[in-house]
Amino acid sequence: MRKQYDDFTQMKLKDMCKTISDMTYTYVDPDTKQPTRVPPSHYEKILDQIKEQYMGEITKRQFLTIMYNQLTALKKEDEKYFQQALLCIDMGINPKDLRMDEQIAISYTYDYIDDKQKTEKKNFHLLNQDIVDAYTNAKDNPMIQAQAIELSNENEEPNQDDMDYDY
């Protein structure tokens, strides 16, 4: 049984981009009640990027995934030491140089975090509320999203100074 994907992968770049543009157009934005218009040239620019740029993005994402998996494994192995280590990092304290007052403070803070986590359950965040709010705002604010995309697009454009001109 042949699927649309099978035909899509056989298309030339320009045809692919037109097809993606048409697929995007069929999405009706629930806020504006209008179809989503994205010109095929937008997709062509992305799909025609130099592989190195694409690989750079994949590498960044993969590195983040590795760090996430390591931290998750450490947290599962021993959450107490995981949180205490994060506290040491955040406070700029090396655990091998802990003074008595710092040892007591770290232990007390872990108990505080543990109690707070049990009380707040899913609403608990280890990060400061300001940081959580900054993340939520950046995720939900279309202006911030648009600025980040525009900046990313500017960084991907070839710099005029880098181009060779034949006179």
Side-chain angles (χ1 to χ4, degrees):
M1 183 181 305
R2 192 155 172 91
K3 296 185 179 186
Q4 271 189 305
Y5 174 79
D6 299 322
D7 292 335
F8 180 78
T9 59
Q10 302 300 314
M11 291 180 180
K12 295 185 187 279
L13 179 62
K14 286 195 180 291
D15 293 331
M16 261 187 199
C17 296
K18 288 177 186 174
T19 302
I20 295 171
S21 181
D22 290 343
M23 288 188 292
T24 306
Y25 186 79
T26 63
Y27 175 75
V28 176
D29 186 314
D31 296 332
T32 64
K33 306 290 189 233
Q34 298 290 318
T36 305
R37 291 184 185 267
V38 179
S41 60
H42 171 74
Y43 296 113
E44 189 171 351
K45 200 177 346 174
I46 292 170
L47 294 175
D48 203 27
Q49 281 182 354
I50 298 170
K51 203 171 198 173
E52 293 165 7
Q53 292 173 336
Y54 177 68
M55 293 306 293
E57 289 302 315
I58 290 174
T59 303
K60 288 177 191 177
R61 177 77 54 95
Q62 189 63 29
F63 186 68
L64 177 61
T65 301
I66 290 168
M67 295 296 279
Y68 172 82
N69 290 339
Q70 288 177 334
L71 290 172
T72 300
L74 289 170
K75 183 178 180 184
K76 286 179 183 174
E77 188 173 318
D78 194 321
E79 189 163 351
K80 177 181 179 178
Y81 292 122
F82 171 79
Q83 289 183 354
Q84 287 180 338
L86 288 178
L87 182 60
C88 286
I89 291 169
D90 196 47
M91 300 305 295
I93 302 168
N94 188 330
K96 68 180 179 185
D97 299 329
L98 284 178
R99 307 286 310 204
M100 183 58 75
D101 59 339
E102 293 168 329
Q103 290 176 19
I104 293 169
I106 286 176
S107 180
Y108 173 83
T109 305
Y110 170 74
D111 291 341
Y112 172 79
I113 290 169
D114 190 47
D115 289 343
K116 191 170 178 157
Q117 191 173 14
K118 288 175 184 171
T119 304
E120 295 179 9
K121 297 184 179 14
K122 288 188 177 187
N123 293 325
F124 172 79
H125 295 285
L126 189 58
L127 297 174
N128 179 311
Q129 189 61 44
D130 292 345
I131 295 171
V132 173
D133 290 345
Y135 169 80
T136 303
N137 181 42
K139 183 173 78 67
D140 296 340
N141 186 324
M143 295 297 287
I144 292 173
Q145 295 287 320
Q147 286 175 340
I149 291 168
E150 287 173 4
L151 182 61
S152 175
N153 289 343
E154 286 174 14
N155 290 336
E156 291 173 4
E157 296 287 322
N159 189 344
Q160 291 293 337
D161 297 336
D162 295 339
M163 293 185 177
D164 294 326
Y165 293 98
D166 293 326
Y167 290 104

